[in-house]
Amino acid sequence: MTPTPPPRRRTSRLGDRGLAALFISPAMLLLLAMSVFPLLWALTLSFTNYSATSSAPAEFVGFANYAEILTSPAVRQRALTTLVYVVGAVTLQTVLGFGIAYLISRRERGRGLLTTVFLVPMMLSPVVVGLFWRFMLDAQFGVVNSLLTSVGLQPVEWLTRQETAMISLIVVDTWQWTPFIMLIALAGLTAVPRYLYEAASIDRASEWFRFRNITLPLVWPLLLIAVMFRAIEAFRLFDLVYILTNGGPGVSTETLSFHVYKVAFLGFNTGTASAYGILMVVVVIVLAQIYLRYLNKLKED
């Protein structure tokens, strides 16, 4: 008679969910520590008169900071400046980016090289781009004014005049971030099925007909997503303003993000600056939700 083997001791093993939680938990803890906690802390400070340089304890002031921001004429002026910048920059980048992508997609040879060359500005740091263009747009020693004087035109004070400072910011931002729109548009253009163009060629459809009825409708949803990302990024613009104009001349190029920097780190009104940040987050979330609903409706149609 064969002896019965002793029962095996059960070893505790992690299931799939436990193993997934084990791997995800470090990233989740880092996300909580770096993103969620500062956001909640800023929300708490926004209801106080806390100042980073004051030894006095913070006092709860309720919605006083929010009321002060929403009723301030200076805030409305900065919001208008930010809106002008976002609309101007994103519109110009979308038109140029899609146009460049459309031209590149029509080429059979050298497409990869052209794409790489156009992507170079996007790979640079915004600080490097700002310093680079600051020297180029210098009123006395800049390359741009040297080119103007060489053809008999008068030099322009690009960064120190209200009429040209905002235009300069939009041009510099367009130079750096047009490749982002171009890259996404190029991905959409290359994904359009070839048989649609072949069918249009058989029907002897014109180039404009192909663009209006095939290319644009299929690429448009992807292009709108790129526009949303660029609009959110442009809304938070700080580095180029800090490097190029420092918010001037006067406050003509002072965006909301730069104004928050001045309130927080020059005026040391930490509670008010926190309220600014929370309001900007709320505005971005609301506008993004409206935009996404439009995209979903467009997808359903």
Side-chain angles (χ1 to χ4, degrees), residues 13-25:
R13 294 183 180 181
L14 291 174
D16 292 340
R17 292 185 177 180
L19 191 62
L22 181 63
F23 281 109
I24 293 175
S25 56

Side-chain angles (χ1 to χ4, degrees), residues 125-156:
S125 168
V127 176
V128 174
V129 173
L131 291 173
F132 173 73
W133 278 95
R134 184 177 178 180
F135 289 124
M136 288 187 62
L137 297 175
D138 186 83
Q140 295 182 350
F141 309 106
V143 176
V144 176
N145 278 344
S146 298
L147 293 175
L148 292 178
T149 54
S150 65
V151 295
L153 299 177
Q154 294 294 326
V156 179

Side-chain angles (χ1 to χ4, degrees), residues 271-284:
T272 306
S274 300
Y276 270 109
I278 296 299
L279 284 175
M280 291 179 66
V281 170
V282 170
V283 168
V284 170

Side-chain angles (χ1 to χ4, degrees), residues 244-259:
L244 289 175
T245 63
N246 201 30
V251 293
S252 59
T253 59
E254 188 173 308
T255 59
L256 284 173
S257 296
F258 191 80
H259 184 64

